[in-house]
């Protein structure tokens, strides 16, 4: 199964580059909890440290203060990509080629990995990992003859299909780019004159860096010396339409981030407001499932005029169940993640507002608990449309078989979860919640894939999970 959601960070010409990368990854921890890595350039060679687990568990003062020397750094936190959750697949991925030391950090998922990997192996390439990010490195190497490094990167990008935001450290040069559709986020900031790059702006806030702007779809930034130069990966007349992942705004991004130029907090509140306009039940109060449902629930309560209560309390020392790598771990997380306030439940008509239903197992367990505590009615409102189609571009639902809305009607989902009523936000309501509705990928809702993922040219891996 192809699955990938990660966070990337880079900083150039800063005396505490490794420490700033640590803080940046710490702020991006919600994007992946399996592994973390930092690579620095010390003026002569790249230094690296990677490990399995959370950022504070992987790095200590010895790594940040002594081993990871240098004023340029790139960092990565990972949730399983194309490849198993193993230390050899942890990023940044590091290689040495023709006098250059190259580290690459990748957020996204390529859809033609298998074809490219087969082609490269026929030409003599030897792969060290099972991650799709390594394909980039081999493509860059194959295009280095007679080209500058930047030209080789651009040539490599013309061969790959799918979603990617990349930060590449090549000796004393830092390169950042987004795919031409702009599916994955990447932002540019500045910290005391030093260029900074991150998947989300919350990483800038922690270190009090200034947010400059998001990278444009299909843009490549080359940071070297005192210059920051911008290039386009595609010609203007052949540039594809922008198709940013709207699920970043629905679920993944931290609410205090600006992603794709959107204020995530305000977008989620507006999703809740639009949801209330579509379907507000007659209940005693609105409650979120913390923490992801809080912001849409606030908007829902404000629009509907219904009381807002926190009748479930989250244990903040338990990770997010959706981005755990196995179903067994997800099921365990459901049991210990949140606990109801019993006095608020008995005899009450409750409307739960949450941001999504993917598999339905988490919500079913929680609703069952509410029924056991004596809830008179349990209604559910979802601040995004039904997820009916697999995502091949980097979110962990890459087969229809695991999507409850792809295989069941609304009435069937109501019965399965144990609800009195269920309503999903319409696609129109979702699009009214963002500033530029024409720029978003909605494939997981409507099956309209901006990059074809079936038939000719599609990776075999995609075909294997598309049924």
């Amino acid at each position: 199964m192809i699955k990938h959601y990660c966070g990337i960070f880079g900083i150039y010409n800063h005396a505490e580059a490794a420490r700033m990368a640590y803080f940046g990854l710490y702020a991006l921890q919600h994007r992946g909890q399996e592994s973390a890595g930092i690579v620095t350039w010390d003026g002569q060679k790249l230094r690296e440290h990677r490990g399995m687990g959370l950022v504070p568990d992987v790095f200590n003062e010895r790594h940040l203060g002594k081993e990871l020397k240098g004023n340029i750094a790139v960092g990565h936190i990972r949730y399983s990509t194309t490849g198993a959750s193993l230390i050899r697949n942890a990023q940044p991925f590091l290689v040495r080629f023709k006098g250059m030391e190259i580290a690459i950090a990748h957020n996204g998922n390529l859809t033609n990995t298998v074809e490219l990997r087969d082609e490269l192996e026929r030409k003599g390439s030897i792969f060290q990992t099972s991650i799709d990010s390594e394909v980039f490195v081999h493509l860059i190497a194959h295009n280095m003859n007679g080209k500058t490094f930047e030209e080789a990167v651009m040539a490599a990008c013309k061969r790959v299909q799918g979603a990617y935001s990349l930060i590449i450290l090549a000796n004393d040069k830092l390169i950042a780019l987004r795919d031409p559709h702009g599916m994955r986020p990447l932002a540019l900031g500045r910290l005391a004159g030093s260029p900074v790059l991150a998947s989300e702006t919350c990483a800038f806030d922690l270190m009090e860096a200034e947010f400059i702007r998001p990278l444009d779809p299909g843009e490549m930034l080359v940071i070297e010396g005192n210059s920051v130069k911008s290039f386009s990966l595609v010609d203007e007349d052949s540039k594809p339409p922008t198709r940013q992942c709207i699920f970043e705004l629905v679920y993944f991004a931290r609410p205090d981030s600006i992603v794709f130029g959107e204020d995530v907090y305000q977008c989620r509140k507006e999703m809740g407001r639009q949801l209330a306009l579509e379907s507000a039940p007659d209940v005693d109060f609105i409650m979120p499932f913390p923490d992801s449902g809080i912001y849409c629930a606030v908007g829902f309560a404000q629009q509907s005029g219904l009381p807002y209560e926190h009748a479930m309390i989250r244990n903040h020392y338990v990770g997010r169940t959706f981005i755990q790598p196995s179903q067994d771990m997800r099921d365990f997380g459901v049991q210990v993640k949140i606990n109801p306030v019993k006095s608020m439940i008995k005899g009450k008509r409750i409307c739960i507002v949450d941001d999504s239903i993917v598999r339905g197992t988490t919500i079913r367990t929680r609703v069952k608990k509410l029924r056991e505590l004596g809830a008179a009615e349990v209604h559910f409102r979802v601040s995004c449309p039904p997820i009916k189609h697999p995502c091949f571009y980097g979110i962990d639902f890459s087969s229809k078989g695991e999507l409850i809305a792809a295989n069941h009607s609304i009435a069937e989902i109501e019965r399965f979860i144990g609800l009195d009523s269920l309503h999903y936000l319409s696609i129109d309501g979702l699009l009214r919640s963002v500033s530029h509705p024409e720029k978003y990928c909605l494939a997981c809702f409507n099956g309209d894939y901006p990059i074809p993922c079936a038939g000719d040219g599609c990776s075999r891996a995609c075909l294997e999970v598309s049924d």
Side-chain angles (χ1 to χ4, degrees):
M1 180 184 294
I2 297 178
K3 46 189 177 181
H4 187 135
Y5 225 92
C6 303
I8 58 178
F9 181 89
I11 187 166
Y12 191 89
N13 194 26
H14 193 283
E16 295 281 351
R19 201 174 300 278
M20 294 302 104
Y22 173 88
F23 290 138
L25 296 183
Y26 192 90
L28 298 171
Q29 186 75 85
H30 60 286
R31 299 184 70 88
Q33 300 175 339
E34 291 185 23
S35 67
I38 294 174
V39 175
T40 61
W41 171 253
D42 69 1
Q44 294 182 321
K45 65 178 182 179
L46 294 183
R47 295 170 172 260
E48 65 172 322
H49 180 73
R50 297 173 294 159
M52 304 302 292
L54 302 178
V55 173
D57 299 329
V58 172
F59 300 99
N60 57 38
E61 184 59 33
R62 184 184 79 254
H63 302 130
L64 301 176
K66 295 181 179 179
E67 295 180 3
L68 292 170
K69 295 179 180 179
N71 66 348
I72 311 173
V74 59
H76 186 274
I77 52 102
R78 181 174 185 262
Y79 170 58
S80 290
T81 178
T82 306
S85 179
L86 302 170
I87 185 60
R88 70 170 180 266
N89 288 333
Q91 294 188 42
F93 181 70
L94 179 63
V95 296
R96 293 168 176 85
F97 179 76
K98 287 191 174 181
M100 295 193 72
E101 300 199 23
I102 304 166
I104 184 168
H106 173 206
N107 172 210
N109 198 74
L110 304 184
T111 59
N112 63 337
T113 300
V114 174
E115 288 81 359
L116 290 173
R117 191 179 178 111
D118 288 348
E119 174 191 324
L120 289 164
E121 287 180 333
R122 286 195 301 271
K123 294 179 179 179
S125 294
I126 299 173
F127 284 80
Q128 303 175 38
T129 73
S130 57
I131 57 176
D132 56 353
S133 311
E134 190 177 358
V135 169
F136 271 107
V137 175
H138 286 280
L139 288 172
I140 292 168
H142 277 263
N143 284 282
M144 285 283 285
N145 294 328
K147 291 186 174 73
T148 65
F149 186 78
E150 295 92 324
E151 291 171 338
V153 171
M154 296 178 74
C157 290
K158 294 183 184 300
R159 296 295 317 282
V160 300
Q161 298 173 7
Y164 55 89
S165 284
L166 299 175
I167 301 179
I168 304 171
L169 175 55
N171 288 3
D172 60 349
K173 189 178 299 186
L174 197 63
I175 296 176
L177 60 153
R178 288 178 71 196
D179 70 77
H181 288 282
M183 287 188 172
R184 297 284 154 249
L186 190 58
L188 172 67
R190 184 184 296 115
L191 175 62
S194 299
V196 190
L197 299 149
S199 295
E200 296 181 33
T201 61
C202 62
F204 301 156
D205 297 336
L206 181 61
M207 60 192 69
E208 298 185 336
E210 176 190 5
F211 169 48
I212 305 299
R213 64 176 179 87
L215 270 69
D216 292 330
E219 181 180 15
M220 180 175 78
L221 289 183
V222 179
I223 304 171
E224 185 177 18
N226 295 319
S227 71
V228 180
K229 296 179 180 178
S230 175
F231 303 87
S232 179
L233 298 176
V234 292
D235 297 331
E236 193 62 35
D237 56 357
S238 61
K239 195 171 185 178
T242 298
R243 290 294 181 265
Q244 299 162 151
C245 176
I246 204 165
F247 215 68
E248 285 276 358
L249 304 179
V250 171
Y251 179 90
F252 266 108
R254 259 178 50 169
D256 50 337
S257 286
I258 296 173
V259 172
F260 306 136
E262 303 271 13
D263 184 316
V264 178
Y265 183 95
Q266 296 299 335
C267 283
R268 289 182 186 165
K269 275 186 63 178
E270 184 60 22
M271 290 170 196
R273 198 181 75 82
Q274 292 292 333
L275 184 60
L277 289 171
E278 292 183 3
S279 179
D282 181 15
V283 294
D284 294 314
F285 62 83
I286 302 298
M287 61 170 277
F289 276 153
D291 284 338
S292 59
I294 289 175
Y295 314 100
C296 51
V298 168
F300 191 101
Q302 289 177 352
Q303 177 61 43
S304 66
L306 291 164
Y308 174 90
E309 299 286 355
H310 277 273
M312 281 201 169
I313 307 301
R314 181 185 172 191
N315 179 348
H316 286 270
Y317 297 94
V318 180
R320 299 175 79 173
T321 57
F322 179 59
I323 62 171
Q324 298 288 355
S326 71
Q327 187 60 49
D328 288 344
M329 290 177 68
R330 277 193 288 264
D331 292 341
F332 175 75
V334 170
Q335 301 298 325
V336 300
K337 187 175 179 181
I338 62 175
N339 194 53
V341 181
K342 297 177 182 179
S343 62
M344 292 294 300
I345 306 300
K346 189 173 182 179
K348 298 296 177 62
R349 300 169 301 156
I350 300 168
C351 178
I352 301 162
V353 178
D354 204 2
D355 53 17
S356 57
I357 300 177
V358 180
R359 302 169 182 91
T361 53
T362 300
I363 293 165
R364 185 187 191 191
T365 300
R366 292 175 180 171
V367 169
K368 180 182 178 183
K369 186 66 174 180
L370 294 176
R371 295 290 193 187
E372 291 171 352
L373 292 173
E377 297 177 13
V378 181
H379 303 263
F380 207 97
R381 297 297 180 264
V382 187
S383 64
C384 77
I387 301 168
K388 296 183 176 182
H389 304 273
C391 176
F392 304 118
Y393 309 129
I395 299 179
D396 180 24
F397 38 84
S398 54
S399 69
K400 276 193 174 183
E402 60 187 328
L403 301 176
I404 191 169
N407 302 285
H408 300 280
S409 67
I410 300 296
E412 289 171 337
I413 299 171
E414 282 179 351
R415 288 194 296 271
F416 173 76
I417 296 176
L419 300 169
D420 290 284
S421 73
L422 170 66
H423 181 84
Y424 290 87
L425 182 63
S426 66
I427 289 179
D428 286 344
L430 179 65
L431 293 178
R432 282 193 290 270
S433 305
V434 298
S435 300
H436 299 284
E438 75 283 356
K439 292 185 176 182
Y440 287 94
C441 174
L442 304 171
C444 56
F445 306 129
N446 62 14
D448 183 11
Y449 293 98
I451 302 171
C453 249
D456 294 339
C458 180
S459 166
R460 287 200 301 270
C462 290
L463 291 174
E464 288 167 1
V465 299
S466 63
D467 54 9

